[in-house]
Amino acid sequence: MFTNAQRQVERTGRGGTPRDQYLQDLVTQFQDSTDEESKERIVANLSNFAYDPYNYAFMRQLNILELFLDCITESNERLVEFGVGGICNSCVDPANASVITQCGGIPLVVQCLSSPVRNTVIYALGALYYLCNPSTKKEILKPDVLRMIRDYSAAGAVNSSFSNLATAFLDKHVNSRLQFGTADGKGF
């Protein structure tokens, strides 16, 4: 459920921890932890906060988007899954998408398309849907990436989630350009 400042005050109460402090505590716990399961739990928790616009500014201030990107580079598949999940949940916001792009996130998200973990692929497809725009399309709409996305689109009988997300991506970022010329309306 989305929140706002008034609702957050009501939920937190007088003695509660403000949201920015709570998120900072989670980041500190992650950084101090040496236990993989604890790190997984913390990143999953942070990823759940990433869908709510109320948290977006805090996430940028606390470098949580960068933490998600760091998780994608780990060998632990659960950290990768939760990291790209956090990216997917937060990149609908243009300011978050800009941070993700500026920090080299697009190749990391693209690499998740090859994951053996179903949710990781779903989150990667969702993230690329929102990250693709006129300034990033050359980096995202490469032949090898489009080939993978087309393969997922064609996999309807095997996995409808992959197929639906991939088809939505293609319809928005590829097929509409082919039908109507380029996004700027000037044709090819």
Side-chain angles (χ1 to χ4, degrees):
M1 178 178 205
F2 295 136
T3 193
N4 57 43
Q6 179 181 343
R7 178 160 162 68
Q8 190 58 36
V9 168
E10 292 168 359
R11 292 181 67 210
T12 305
R14 262 189 278 208
T17 305
R19 180 63 57 88
D20 59 340
Q21 183 59 52
Y22 183 75
L23 293 172
Q24 177 62 66
D25 291 346
L26 287 174
V27 170
T28 301
Q29 288 174 25
F30 179 85
Q31 292 168 335
D32 292 345
S33 179
T34 57
D35 179 61
E36 287 294 307
E37 284 186 39
S38 293
K39 285 185 168 195
E40 292 168 6
R41 180 184 45 77
I42 294 164
V43 175
N45 199 352
L46 287 168
S47 187
N48 285 332
F49 281 102
Y51 78 91
D52 191 341
Y54 179 78
N55 300 317
Y56 290 167
F58 302 138
M59 299 189 89
R60 289 189 299 273
Q61 291 166 3
L62 299 170
N63 297 319
I64 293 171
L65 301 171
E66 291 87 338
L67 185 146
F68 290 147
L69 292 172
D70 287 343
C71 287
I72 295 174
T73 67
E74 295 291 327
S75 60
N76 178 328
E77 287 291 345
R78 301 222 357 121
L79 286 178
V80 174
E81 175 186 351
F82 299 138
V84 76
I87 295 297
C88 180
N89 288 348
S90 61
C91 72
V92 66
D93 177 67
N96 289 345
S98 179
V99 169
I100 293 162
T101 301
Q102 291 170 6
C103 290
I106 289 175
L108 296 174
V109 173
V110 166
Q111 146 190 330
C112 291
L113 291 174
S114 301
S115 173
V117 179
R118 180 180 179 272
N119 284 342
T120 299
V121 174
I122 289 171
Y123 297 145
L125 286 167
L128 290 172
Y129 180 90
Y130 288 107
L131 290 172
C132 191
N133 62 49
S135 65
T136 62
K137 68 182 178 182
K138 284 186 180 180
E139 190 173 7
I140 295 173
L141 299 180
K142 293 180 177 179
D144 56 329
V145 177
L146 287 176
R147 188 175 328 105
M148 282 190 285
I149 294 174
R150 285 187 176 108
D151 288 347
Y152 286 129
S153 178
V158 177
N159 190 316
S160 62
S161 296
F162 287 0
S163 178
N164 291 343
L165 279 167
T167 300
F169 178 92
L170 292 170
D171 287 348
K172 180 174 182 180
H173 300 294
V174 179
N175 299 339
S176 64
R177 290 179 48 215
L178 295 175
Q179 290 175 340
F180 305 109
T182 58
D184 61 9
K186 296 180 182 174
F188 291 101

PDB file of all heavy atoms in Angstrom, residues 103-129:
ATOM      1  N   CYS A 103      24.557   4.809 -12.965  1.00  0.00           N
ATOM      2  CA  CYS A 103      25.444   3.904 -12.208  1.00  0.00           C
ATOM      3  C   CYS A 103      25.755   2.620 -12.971  1.00  0.00           C
ATOM      4  O   CYS A 103      26.279   1.663 -12.392  1.00  0.00           O
ATOM      5  CB  CYS A 103      24.804   3.564 -10.858  1.00  0.00           C
ATOM      6  SG  CYS A 103      24.767   4.961  -9.730  1.00  0.00           S
ATOM      7  N   GLY A 104      25.442   2.593 -14.261  1.00  0.00           N
ATOM      8  CA  GLY A 104      25.764   1.418 -15.080  1.00  0.00           C
ATOM      9  C   GLY A 104      24.827   0.247 -14.866  1.00  0.00           C
ATOM     10  O   GLY A 104      25.213  -0.903 -15.068  1.00  0.00           O
ATOM     11  N   GLY A 105      23.598   0.529 -14.493  1.00  0.00           N
ATOM     12  CA  GLY A 105      22.652  -0.528 -14.174  1.00  0.00           C
ATOM     13  C   GLY A 105      22.092  -1.295 -15.356  1.00  0.00           C
ATOM     14  O   GLY A 105      21.701  -2.454 -15.206  1.00  0.00           O
ATOM     15  N   ILE A 106      22.042  -0.690 -16.518  1.00  0.00           N
ATOM     16  CA  ILE A 106      21.401  -1.370 -17.653  1.00  0.00           C
ATOM     17  C   ILE A 106      22.107  -2.681 -18.010  1.00  0.00           C
ATOM     18  O   ILE A 106      21.448  -3.715 -18.113  1.00  0.00           O
ATOM     19  CB  ILE A 106      21.251  -0.431 -18.860  1.00  0.00           C
ATOM     20  CG1 ILE A 106      20.171   0.622 -18.534  1.00  0.00           C
ATOM     21  CG2 ILE A 106      20.885  -1.206 -20.129  1.00  0.00           C
ATOM     22  CD1 ILE A 106      19.982   1.699 -19.557  1.00  0.00           C
ATOM     23  N   PRO A 107      23.430  -2.716 -18.164  1.00  0.00           N
ATOM     24  CA  PRO A 107      24.059  -4.014 -18.470  1.00  0.00           C
ATOM     25  C   PRO A 107      23.844  -5.048 -17.369  1.00  0.00           C
ATOM     26  O   PRO A 107      23.728  -6.242 -17.643  1.00  0.00           O
ATOM     27  CB  PRO A 107      25.542  -3.682 -18.622  1.00  0.00           C
ATOM     28  CG  PRO A 107      25.631  -2.211 -18.764  1.00  0.00           C
ATOM     29  CD  PRO A 107      24.391  -1.627 -18.188  1.00  0.00           C
ATOM     30  N   LEU A 108      23.772  -4.600 -16.125  1.00  0.00           N
ATOM     31  CA  LEU A 108      23.543  -5.531 -15.020  1.00  0.00           C
ATOM     32  C   LEU A 108      22.141  -6.136 -15.097  1.00  0.00           C
ATOM     33  O   LEU A 108      21.955  -7.333 -14.876  1.00  0.00           O
ATOM     34  CB  LEU A 108      23.738  -4.826 -13.673  1.00  0.00           C
ATOM     35  CG  LEU A 108      25.147  -4.314 -13.398  1.00  0.00           C
ATOM     36  CD1 LEU A 108      25.183  -3.505 -12.104  1.00  0.00           C
ATOM     37  CD2 LEU A 108      26.138  -5.457 -13.352  1.00  0.00           C
ATOM     38  N   VAL A 109      21.163  -5.289 -15.424  1.00  0.00           N
ATOM     39  CA  VAL A 109      19.790  -5.783 -15.556  1.00  0.00           C
ATOM     40  C   VAL A 109      19.689  -6.703 -16.768  1.00  0.00           C
ATOM     41  O   VAL A 109      19.059  -7.765 -16.701  1.00  0.00           O
ATOM     42  CB  VAL A 109      18.788  -4.614 -15.634  1.00  0.00           C
ATOM     43  CG1 VAL A 109      17.384  -5.118 -15.938  1.00  0.00           C
ATOM     44  CG2 VAL A 109      18.783  -3.807 -14.329  1.00  0.00           C
ATOM     45  N   VAL A 110      20.311  -6.338 -17.868  1.00  0.00           N
ATOM     46  CA  VAL A 110      20.293  -7.175 -19.071  1.00  0.00           C
ATOM     47  C   VAL A 110      20.885  -8.551 -18.766  1.00  0.00           C
ATOM     48  O   VAL A 110      20.353  -9.574 -19.194  1.00  0.00           O
ATOM     49  CB  VAL A 110      21.055  -6.489 -20.236  1.00  0.00           C
ATOM     50  CG1 VAL A 110      21.348  -7.469 -21.353  1.00  0.00           C
ATOM     51  CG2 VAL A 110      20.256  -5.300 -20.754  1.00  0.00           C
ATOM     52  N   GLN A 111      21.957  -8.586 -18.015  1.00  0.00           N
ATOM     53  CA  GLN A 111      22.591  -9.855 -17.655  1.00  0.00           C
ATOM     54  C   GLN A 111      21.617 -10.756 -16.883  1.00  0.00           C
ATOM     55  O   GLN A 111      21.673 -11.982 -16.988  1.00  0.00           O
ATOM     56  CB  GLN A 111      23.849  -9.533 -16.864  1.00  0.00           C
ATOM     57  CG  GLN A 111      24.273 -10.435 -15.796  1.00  0.00           C
ATOM     58  CD  GLN A 111      25.410  -9.814 -14.976  1.00  0.00           C
ATOM     59  OE1 GLN A 111      26.210  -9.030 -15.463  1.00  0.00           O
ATOM     60  NE2 GLN A 111      25.472 -10.176 -13.726  1.00  0.00           N
ATOM     61  N   CYS A 112      20.682 -10.163 -16.162  1.00  0.00           N
ATOM     62  CA  CYS A 112      19.694 -10.942 -15.392  1.00  0.00           C
ATOM     63  C   CYS A 112      18.702 -11.676 -16.292  1.00  0.00           C
ATOM     64  O   CYS A 112      18.027 -12.607 -15.839  1.00  0.00           O
ATOM     65  CB  CYS A 112      18.950 -10.039 -14.417  1.00  0.00           C
ATOM     66  SG  CYS A 112      19.980  -9.425 -13.071  1.00  0.00           S
ATOM     67  N   LEU A 113      18.609 -11.289 -17.552  1.00  0.00           N
ATOM     68  CA  LEU A 113      17.719 -11.994 -18.481  1.00  0.00           C
ATOM     69  C   LEU A 113      18.164 -13.446 -18.687  1.00  0.00           C
ATOM     70  O   LEU A 113      17.367 -14.281 -19.098  1.00  0.00           O
ATOM     71  CB  LEU A 113      17.667 -11.277 -19.838  1.00  0.00           C
ATOM     72  CG  LEU A 113      16.979  -9.925 -19.875  1.00  0.00           C
ATOM     73  CD1 LEU A 113      17.157  -9.288 -21.252  1.00  0.00           C
ATOM     74  CD2 LEU A 113      15.510 -10.039 -19.511  1.00  0.00           C
ATOM     75  N   SER A 114      19.420 -13.727 -18.410  1.00  0.00           N
ATOM     76  CA  SER A 114      19.963 -15.081 -18.589  1.00  0.00           C
ATOM     77  C   SER A 114      19.961 -15.887 -17.303  1.00  0.00           C
ATOM     78  O   SER A 114      20.504 -16.995 -17.272  1.00  0.00           O
ATOM     79  CB  SER A 114      21.399 -14.998 -19.113  1.00  0.00           C
ATOM     80  OG  SER A 114      21.428 -14.315 -20.336  1.00  0.00           O
ATOM     81  N   SER A 115      19.368 -15.381 -16.270  1.00  0.00           N
ATOM     82  CA  SER A 115      19.382 -16.070 -14.976  1.00  0.00           C
ATOM     83  C   SER A 115      18.557 -17.353 -15.017  1.00  0.00           C
ATOM     84  O   SER A 115      17.523 -17.418 -15.684  1.00  0.00           O
ATOM     85  CB  SER A 115      18.812 -15.146 -13.893  1.00  0.00           C
ATOM     86  OG  SER A 115      18.656 -15.829 -12.672  1.00  0.00           O
ATOM     87  N   PRO A 116      18.972 -18.351 -14.252  1.00  0.00           N
ATOM     88  CA  PRO A 116      18.159 -19.568 -14.126  1.00  0.00           C
ATOM     89  C   PRO A 116      16.978 -19.381 -13.157  1.00  0.00           C
ATOM     90  O   PRO A 116      16.120 -20.251 -13.046  1.00  0.00           O
ATOM     91  CB  PRO A 116      19.150 -20.597 -13.575  1.00  0.00           C
ATOM     92  CG  PRO A 116      20.149 -19.790 -12.818  1.00  0.00           C
ATOM     93  CD  PRO A 116      20.260 -18.489 -13.568  1.00  0.00           C
ATOM     94  N   VAL A 117      16.941 -18.236 -12.466  1.00  0.00           N
ATOM     95  CA  VAL A 117      15.895 -17.974 -11.476  1.00  0.00           C
ATOM     96  C   VAL A 117      14.746 -17.218 -12.145  1.00  0.00           C
ATOM     97  O   VAL A 117      14.932 -16.114 -12.669  1.00  0.00           O
ATOM     98  CB  VAL A 117      16.454 -17.181 -10.278  1.00  0.00           C
ATOM     99  CG1 VAL A 117      15.366 -16.890  -9.255  1.00  0.00           C
ATOM    100  CG2 VAL A 117      17.621 -17.939  -9.639  1.00  0.00           C
ATOM    101  N   ARG A 118      13.586 -17.819 -12.127  1.00  0.00           N
ATOM    102  CA  ARG A 118      12.400 -17.278 -12.802  1.00  0.00           C
ATOM    103  C   ARG A 118      12.112 -15.823 -12.398  1.00  0.00           C
ATOM    104  O   ARG A 118      11.904 -14.963 -13.250  1.00  0.00           O
ATOM    105  CB  ARG A 118      11.205 -18.188 -12.487  1.00  0.00           C
ATOM    106  CG  ARG A 118       9.918 -17.771 -13.104  1.00  0.00           C
ATOM    107  CD  ARG A 118       8.805 -18.777 -12.716  1.00  0.00           C
ATOM    108  NE  ARG A 118       7.543 -18.401 -13.276  1.00  0.00           N
ATOM    109  CZ  ARG A 118       6.675 -17.591 -12.689  1.00  0.00           C
ATOM    110  NH1 ARG A 118       6.925 -17.085 -11.514  1.00  0.00           N
ATOM    111  NH2 ARG A 118       5.542 -17.287 -13.284  1.00  0.00           N
ATOM    112  N   ASN A 119      12.065 -15.551 -11.090  1.00  0.00           N
ATOM    113  CA  ASN A 119      11.742 -14.195 -10.636  1.00  0.00           C
ATOM    114  C   ASN A 119      12.778 -13.178 -11.092  1.00  0.00           C
ATOM    115  O   ASN A 119      12.433 -12.034 -11.393  1.00  0.00           O
ATOM    116  CB  ASN A 119      11.606 -14.148  -9.110  1.00  0.00           C
ATOM    117  CG  ASN A 119      10.307 -14.728  -8.625  1.00  0.00           C
ATOM    118  OD1 ASN A 119       9.346 -14.883  -9.379  1.00  0.00           O
ATOM    119  ND2 ASN A 119      10.258 -15.072  -7.351  1.00  0.00           N
ATOM    120  N   THR A 120      14.029 -13.580 -11.141  1.00  0.00           N
ATOM    121  CA  THR A 120      15.078 -12.665 -11.594  1.00  0.00           C
ATOM    122  C   THR A 120      14.812 -12.233 -13.032  1.00  0.00           C
ATOM    123  O   THR A 120      14.917 -11.047 -13.367  1.00  0.00           O
ATOM    124  CB  THR A 120      16.462 -13.333 -11.466  1.00  0.00           C
ATOM    125  OG1 THR A 120      16.680 -13.646 -10.087  1.00  0.00           O
ATOM    126  CG2 THR A 120      17.569 -12.431 -11.965  1.00  0.00           C
ATOM    127  N   VAL A 121      14.430 -13.164 -13.883  1.00  0.00           N
ATOM    128  CA  VAL A 121      14.125 -12.840 -15.277  1.00  0.00           C
ATOM    129  C   VAL A 121      12.898 -11.929 -15.355  1.00  0.00           C
ATOM    130  O   VAL A 121      12.888 -10.936 -16.093  1.00  0.00           O
ATOM    131  CB  VAL A 121      13.915 -14.125 -16.108  1.00  0.00           C
ATOM    132  CG1 VAL A 121      13.459 -13.792 -17.533  1.00  0.00           C
ATOM    133  CG2 VAL A 121      15.193 -14.953 -16.141  1.00  0.00           C
ATOM    134  N   ILE A 122      11.876 -12.236 -14.587  1.00  0.00           N
ATOM    135  CA  ILE A 122      10.659 -11.418 -14.593  1.00  0.00           C
ATOM    136  C   ILE A 122      10.978  -9.995 -14.153  1.00  0.00           C
ATOM    137  O   ILE A 122      10.540  -9.023 -14.780  1.00  0.00           O
ATOM    138  CB  ILE A 122       9.573 -12.066 -13.711  1.00  0.00           C
ATOM    139  CG1 ILE A 122       9.045 -13.328 -14.399  1.00  0.00           C
ATOM    140  CG2 ILE A 122       8.437 -11.098 -13.418  1.00  0.00           C
ATOM    141  CD1 ILE A 122       8.130 -14.175 -13.550  1.00  0.00           C
ATOM    142  N   TYR A 123      11.746  -9.851 -13.067  1.00  0.00           N
ATOM    143  CA  TYR A 123      12.110  -8.510 -12.595  1.00  0.00           C
ATOM    144  C   TYR A 123      12.958  -7.774 -13.629  1.00  0.00           C
ATOM    145  O   TYR A 123      12.799  -6.564 -13.825  1.00  0.00           O
ATOM    146  CB  TYR A 123      12.869  -8.580 -11.270  1.00  0.00           C
ATOM    147  CG  TYR A 123      12.085  -9.149 -10.115  1.00  0.00           C
ATOM    148  CD1 TYR A 123      12.722  -9.930  -9.152  1.00  0.00           C
ATOM    149  CD2 TYR A 123      10.723  -8.920  -9.952  1.00  0.00           C
ATOM    150  CE1 TYR A 123      12.033 -10.454  -8.077  1.00  0.00           C
ATOM    151  CE2 TYR A 123      10.022  -9.443  -8.876  1.00  0.00           C
ATOM    152  CZ  TYR A 123      10.686 -10.204  -7.940  1.00  0.00           C
ATOM    153  OH  TYR A 123      10.005 -10.726  -6.870  1.00  0.00           O
ATOM    154  N   ALA A 124      13.849  -8.488 -14.303  1.00  0.00           N
ATOM    155  CA  ALA A 124      14.696  -7.859 -15.326  1.00  0.00           C
ATOM    156  C   ALA A 124      13.843  -7.360 -16.487  1.00  0.00           C
ATOM    157  O   ALA A 124      14.041  -6.232 -16.973  1.00  0.00           O
ATOM    158  CB  ALA A 124      15.763  -8.840 -15.809  1.00  0.00           C
ATOM    159  N   LEU A 125      12.897  -8.170 -16.933  1.00  0.00           N
ATOM    160  CA  LEU A 125      12.007  -7.733 -18.019  1.00  0.00           C
ATOM    161  C   LEU A 125      11.210  -6.494 -17.604  1.00  0.00           C
ATOM    162  O   LEU A 125      11.086  -5.539 -18.377  1.00  0.00           O
ATOM    163  CB  LEU A 125      11.054  -8.867 -18.413  1.00  0.00           C
ATOM    164  CG  LEU A 125      11.656 -10.015 -19.210  1.00  0.00           C
ATOM    165  CD1 LEU A 125      10.699 -11.206 -19.254  1.00  0.00           C
ATOM    166  CD2 LEU A 125      12.026  -9.564 -20.618  1.00  0.00           C
ATOM    167  N   GLY A 126      10.689  -6.514 -16.390  1.00  0.00           N
ATOM    168  CA  GLY A 126       9.932  -5.364 -15.899  1.00  0.00           C
ATOM    169  C   GLY A 126      10.796  -4.118 -15.792  1.00  0.00           C
ATOM    170  O   GLY A 126      10.377  -3.018 -16.167  1.00  0.00           O
ATOM    171  N   ALA A 127      11.999  -4.276 -15.278  1.00  0.00           N
ATOM    172  CA  ALA A 127      12.898  -3.126 -15.146  1.00  0.00           C
ATOM    173  C   ALA A 127      13.258  -2.547 -16.510  1.00  0.00           C
ATOM    174  O   ALA A 127      13.224  -1.323 -16.705  1.00  0.00           O
ATOM    175  CB  ALA A 127      14.160  -3.539 -14.386  1.00  0.00           C
ATOM    176  N   LEU A 128      13.580  -3.401 -17.470  1.00  0.00           N
ATOM    177  CA  LEU A 128      13.943  -2.906 -18.806  1.00  0.00           C
ATOM    178  C   LEU A 128      12.774  -2.185 -19.461  1.00  0.00           C
ATOM    179  O   LEU A 128      12.967  -1.207 -20.193  1.00  0.00           O
ATOM    180  CB  LEU A 128      14.448  -4.048 -19.675  1.00  0.00           C
ATOM    181  CG  LEU A 128      15.802  -4.615 -19.267  1.00  0.00           C
ATOM    182  CD1 LEU A 128      16.137  -5.867 -20.075  1.00  0.00           C
ATOM    183  CD2 LEU A 128      16.902  -3.565 -19.424  1.00  0.00           C
ATOM    184  N   TYR A 129      11.561  -2.640 -19.192  1.00  0.00           N
ATOM    185  CA  TYR A 129      10.365  -1.972 -19.725  1.00  0.00           C
ATOM    186  C   TYR A 129      10.372  -0.494 -19.310  1.00  0.00           C
ATOM    187  O   TYR A 129      10.102   0.384 -20.117  1.00  0.00           O
ATOM    188  CB  TYR A 129       9.104  -2.671 -19.208  1.00  0.00           C
ATOM    189  CG  TYR A 129       7.821  -2.054 -19.692  1.00  0.00           C
ATOM    190  CD1 TYR A 129       7.240  -2.509 -20.875  1.00  0.00           C
ATOM    191  CD2 TYR A 129       7.188  -1.045 -18.989  1.00  0.00           C
ATOM    192  CE1 TYR A 129       6.050  -1.961 -21.338  1.00  0.00           C
ATOM    193  CE2 TYR A 129       6.001  -0.489 -19.448  1.00  0.00           C
ATOM    194  CZ  TYR A 129       5.437  -0.945 -20.611  1.00  0.00           C
ATOM    195  OH  TYR A 129       4.260  -0.390 -21.071  1.00  0.00           O
TER     196      TYR A 129
END
